Every structure is written in C-alpha cells, then in structure tokens.
Amino acid sequence: MVEHYFGSLGENKWVLSTGTVVEDVMKQYASTCQFEHPVHSLILDVDDTMWIDDGYFTEEEMKEVKNEACPKDYDLPEKLNEYLKGYLGKRDLETIFEQASHVPFHPKNEPDLFWIHQTFLKTLNLFYNNYLPVTDHSESDLLNRVWVVVQECFDESEFKVRGGEGTSGASTQAKNASHSLSREEMISRRATDRKVDLLFKSGLSEYACAEAGKQLEVDTTKELVETKFICPKTLRDMLVKLGELQPKKLHELVLVGFIFSGMYLHHGKPLGHLGHLGNRFLSQRRYFLL
C-alpha cells in the first residue's frame, strides 16, 4: 500500500526550509502503520500532535507546513456585523428575544440577514422549550434540530445540501477505479460508497461533507473514525474528482469538512493541493492538510 501511493511521486517533492522532505516523512510514518491510516491516502493531519511528539517534524517545520497556501479568511459582510452588534450586552433569553423580535428580513432580498435572524429565533425556541442542553439526543436529533442552520445557510447559494447518510459519488468512483474484466477472476461487486451525514453539491460535483456525533468531544472511536478517517478520505476523493474536471484551477480548490460534536462545530480544510492523479502530476503538493 505504501509503495502504491508514494512510489510514483517522483523527485519533485516539498522540501522545507530545514531540508526535511515532507513526502519522505509521511512515507516513513506510513511504513510503520499496521493498519490503514489517512497518511496512506496522502492525507496529512497537521493538528495531530503525533507528528511533533514522535519526532517526525519539529514545531517550526509543522508551523511552516500549516502556513503553506493557507486559504484567505474572508471578512464577515458589514450588514451581518451590524446585525450581530445589536446583541452586544444581551445575556438572557428575554433580552435576546426582544432584540430579535422586531427586525424581520426578506428571505429573497436579504438572504444572509434572513438566515442569521432565523438562526437566533430557532435557537431561542430550543432553549425556551428545554430542548437544550444535550442529554439523550440522537445524532439525527442534533443534525435536524440544532445544526439544521448550517444546511439552511446554503439555501440561497449555488450549493445544495443533501442529508440522510448521503453517499459520495466521488468516493464511489475512487473505490471502483480499478474494476476491470478478467478471464481469471469473477468481476468484483461494485464497491459501496463512503456514507456521510451531509453532502454539499453544485450540479454533479461535490465540494464539502459533514459528519454528526452526539458526543461533546471528539474522543470516542466512532467520532475518531468519522473525523480522522471517513471525512478526510471523502474530501480527498472529492478533490481528486474536481482536479480531473478542473485541472487549471487545482491550486484554487479548497474543500471543507464539517464535524458536529454535540453542541460543538469543528471544521477541517484541505489546505494543500492534489498533485498525483493516476500517472499525471498536476502540482507540487501531493496531499491534503486538514
């Protein structure tokens, strides 16, 4: 498996200012794994302290990796800033409700303000009716009642959000890429997709995914698998597909993974760029930084 992914990277690798070659370090770690790890798919989790604790990178080297090609954080629109300022000093349900009760917005003419205003009203409703804090809620409860505001945020965008354990077409394509007819063996069944709780799509292309868990912290086996394995690999497959469709825009592509853990929202972004598609090299960055 290690040679399958790392063997065809060639010599055009990422050399840090210290002389450390990032791909070689990743390959070194991958060779020690007894089970499949995201690094085998050229995924580097820069928030995993193991890379520094076990001596693979120094703190300065990891800082250099994190800062490479970091996507720009856009400022919040001024109208949203002004709206949020209206809640300054409001520290209880009644004063927040009073602020939210007399500023209606049109869903078509002011979609951003309408969304954030509805988010306040819906959240107030959850507290007024003792739906929160989280107790015996299921993942579905949290996704459909608490974090539905994330889905609704995209209502007026070109992206459509699809839920209900959606399957990623990009992951399906990646899993079935090696299928072929053979005179020696019966053709294998079509590999099943990786299922995620939410898919963010535009047309036939996929740009983001989300996983939901009811735990307040990402520390259970299920949450670790979803946040550190399923979500990153799904994003990786999406980026592969988008790179094939839009190779000239490869360096501009940034995909996002949302992780809902109880009342906490985490998000990871592949900051690096895909470089290896089959036998073609499209970039000097061959993996994804979460």
Side-chain angles (χ1 to χ4, degrees):
M1 181 182 292
V2 174
E3 289 303 322
H4 173 72
Y5 286 106
F6 289 89
S8 56
L9 291 181
E11 298 301 321
N12 190 18
K13 300 178 181 180
W14 185 4
V15 182
L16 300 177
S17 59
T18 59
T20 297
V21 181
V22 178
E23 289 88 343
D24 290 348
V25 173
M26 294 174 67
K27 181 179 179 181
Q28 178 187 352
Y29 176 72
S31 300
T32 68
C33 297
Q34 298 182 12
F35 301 97
E36 185 180 5
H37 185 279
V39 75
H40 291 119
S41 298
L42 306 178
I43 297 172
L44 176 61
D45 183 354
V46 297
D47 291 322
D48 190 337
T49 59
M50 171 278 302
W51 294 108
I52 295 177
D53 294 343
D54 292 355
Y56 288 96
F57 294 105
T58 66
E59 291 186 9
E60 287 302 312
E61 287 173 336
M62 185 54 70
K63 182 178 180 181
E64 182 178 345
V65 170
K66 288 183 177 182
N67 291 336
E68 173 71 14
C70 186
K72 177 183 177 182
D73 287 328
Y74 291 92
D75 294 330
L76 200 64
E78 186 58 32
K79 288 185 177 181
L80 291 184
N81 262 327
E82 288 301 316
Y83 175 84
L84 292 173
K85 287 179 181 178
Y87 292 94
L88 290 175
K90 309 294 191 295
R91 300 182 180 277
D92 59 78
L93 294 181
E94 288 304 312
T95 56
I96 294 173
F97 176 76
E98 182 181 353
Q99 175 66 25
S101 62
H102 54 79
V103 281
F105 299 101
H106 195 281
K108 283 293 185 181
N109 299 333
E110 302 170 295
D112 291 343
L113 289 169
F114 178 81
W115 168 76
I116 198 168
H117 180 60
Q118 291 297 311
T119 296
F120 270 92
L121 292 177
K122 290 182 178 182
T123 304
L124 283 168
N125 182 59
L126 295 178
F127 280 105
Y128 273 129
N129 292 285
N130 298 316
Y131 195 83
L132 297 175
V134 175
T135 53
D136 60 344
H137 301 68
S138 68
E139 292 179 6
S140 179
D141 292 333
L142 296 176
L143 193 63
N144 294 320
R145 292 294 306 275
V146 177
W147 293 112
V148 67
V149 295
V150 174
Q151 303 176 52
E152 293 172 345
C153 179
F154 293 87
D155 283 350
E156 285 298 313
S157 74
E158 61 183 285
F159 296 97
K160 303 303 177 186
V161 186
R162 298 293 179 257
E165 286 286 314
T167 54
S168 169
S171 289
T172 301
Q173 180 175 339
K175 286 188 174 185
N176 290 283
S178 61
H179 278 205
S180 62
L181 293 174
S182 170
R183 60 178 292 182
E184 306 292 339
E185 301 175 356
M186 181 182 297
I187 187 169
S188 59
R189 292 183 60 188
R190 188 170 185 266
T192 56
D193 315 344
R194 292 189 189 94
K195 291 187 175 183
V196 291
D197 291 318
L198 295 176
L199 277 175
F200 298 76
K201 308 171 68 175
S202 179
L204 298 178
S205 298
E206 301 164 348
Y207 292 87
C209 64
E211 284 287 344
K214 61 182 180 179
Q215 300 296 326
L216 296 183
E217 300 292 342
V218 185
D219 57 2
T220 67
T221 300
K222 182 178 185 296
E223 269 79 27
L224 284 173
V225 169
E226 291 178 343
T227 61
K228 300 294 187 180
F229 198 85
I230 295 178
C231 192
K233 292 199 69 171
T234 299
L235 291 173
R236 181 249 183 207
D237 294 338
M238 290 179 182
L239 197 51
V240 168
K241 180 62 177 177
L242 291 171
E244 292 174 339
L245 296 174
Q246 305 177 57
K248 293 183 179 180
K249 294 186 177 181
L250 189 59
H251 288 278
E252 303 173 17
L253 295 174
V254 176
L255 278 66
V256 178
F258 296 97
I259 304 297
F260 308 119
S261 298
M263 293 299 296
Y264 292 87
L265 169 62
H266 313 266
H267 72 280
K269 295 175 288 188
L271 307 184
H273 300 287
L274 176 67
H276 182 244
L277 293 177
N279 293 319
R280 297 185 294 133
F281 293 91
L282 302 179
S283 154
Q284 293 185 6
R285 300 293 177 261
R286 304 179 191 11
Y287 47 82
F288 310 86
L289 314 181
L290 302 181

